[in-house]
Amino acid sequence: MNATPVNRVYLFGTCLVDVFHPRAGMAAVRLLEREGIFVDFPPEQTCCGQPPYNSGYDEQARDVARQVVERFSDPIPVIVPSGSCAGMLRHHYPSLLADDPLANAAQDLAARTYELHEFLNRVLKIRLEDQGAPVRVAMHTACSARREMGVRDDGLALLGQLKHVEVCEPENAEACCGFGGTFAVKMSEVSAAMASDKCGAIRATGARQLLSSDCGCLMNIDGMLRKQGQDLNGEHLAEFIWKRTGGEPL
């Protein structure tokens, strides 16, 4: 883990944050800036390349990976508010570009990539002061964040600092919500059944709010909850933490 003081980072915003959850991206920026970090957001950034990669179109995924590697080339941390996209940069770019002229740059980028809450908890070791009313929340950790990035405990550790927030995980918390990127499109009936099971487990916790650090899962679960007529608001973890700790409206 990086022991050198950090004063500048890149933010890789992700497609889903950009299109569907922009407040999650703004919360990430605000949380980093509050710690004295300058956040560099390359405006020409694109997708991380997961859709073609997960569908077996490696050459198209390589084209995207090359662009990301070149646009995030300064030797500073790359912060990603998504375990899934962070996993793509950290774990898949090196093999995807292993025989490419950018192979070394891809390895370097992988070593500098952090999931947002991992970075806040382990590198910056931020301290949080809860300024909200008591609430019970259900935390869903995405498969990629849990298994590929190993950052489940970081989100829970940050929530654990909020003294008026009671955190619970649904039964079978390690089970997928059914999103899985293109899986939700290609296997929509299976995906919907998995999401329905996940929603039932979340409702059983008695939580008043759903949190996740991945917008894909949040969209899938929150969408199913709305379809079921459930009044259980879904929110990205960064946005929740920002608001609970006195952050101004985003």
Side-chain angles (χ1 to χ4, degrees), residues 33-117:
E33 289 180 337
R34 192 166 65 183
E35 300 302 313
I37 308 292
F38 177 82
V39 180
D40 189 340
F41 184 86
E44 69 277 13
Q45 63 180 278
T46 63
C47 171
C48 68
Q50 277 195 79
Y53 182 71
N54 292 343
S55 299
Y57 297 102
D58 284 0
E59 193 51 50
Q60 287 83 351
R62 269 187 210 95
D63 288 342
V64 178
R66 291 187 190 102
Q67 295 180 50
V68 174
V69 169
E70 290 174 341
R71 289 169 180 166
F72 291 79
S73 60
D74 287 357
I76 58 175
V78 180
I79 311 305
V80 190
S82 159
S84 177
C85 301
M88 184 69 189
L89 272 61
R90 182 186 285 180
H91 295 292
H92 299 295
Y93 277 14
S95 58
L96 196 60
L97 297 178
D99 298 321
D100 191 273
L102 290 173
N104 290 338
Q107 291 279 0
D108 176 65
L109 177 72
R112 295 186 280 112
T113 296
Y114 298 87
E115 191 269 346
L116 170 66
H117 305 95

Side-chain angles (χ1 to χ4, degrees), residues 2 4 49 69 72 74 81 84 97 143 145 152 160 182 191 197 213 218 228 238:
N2 194 341
T4 304
V69 169
F72 291 79
D74 287 357
S84 177
L97 297 178
C143 298
R152 165 187 172 270
T182 56
S191 173
D197 287 347
S213 57
L218 200 57
Q228 295 175 344

Side-chain angles (χ1 to χ4, degrees), residues 120-141:
L120 295 175
N121 185 51
R122 299 188 200 180
V123 180
L124 297 184
K125 303 182 190 307
I126 68 170
R127 305 309 303 169
L128 302 173
E129 183 176 349
D130 193 4
Q131 299 184 32
V135 66
R136 181 179 175 87
V137 301
M139 178 66 185
H140 169 76
T141 303

Side-chain angles (χ1 to χ4, degrees), residues 21 23-24 27 31 81 115 117 128 130 133-143 145-146 151-152 154-162 164-170 173 175 177 198-199 201-203 205-223 225 231-245:
H21 287 272
R23 288 199 300 272
L31 286 167
E115 191 269 346
H117 305 95
L128 302 173
D130 193 4
V135 66
R136 181 179 175 87
V137 301
M139 178 66 185
H140 169 76
T141 303
C143 298
R146 177 185 296 271
V151 299
R152 165 187 172 270
D154 293 292
L156 294 177
L158 294 174
L159 286 172
Q161 294 186 38
L162 304 174
H164 298 307
V165 177
E166 182 184 359
V167 184
C168 55
E169 288 186 291
C177 73
K198 180 64 70 177
C199 289
I202 291 171
R203 290 198 307 272
T205 66
R208 299 300 303 272
Q209 186 164 7
L210 164 68
L211 301 178
S212 180
S213 57
D214 274 70
C215 290
C217 300
L218 200 57
M219 287 174 53
N220 202 39
I221 301 172
D222 197 37
L225 287 169
D231 183 18
L232 205 159
N233 180 45
E235 191 170 47
H236 192 279
L237 179 59
E239 187 179 353
F240 178 80
I241 290 175
W242 173 250
K243 291 194 301 187
R244 293 289 304 193
T245 54

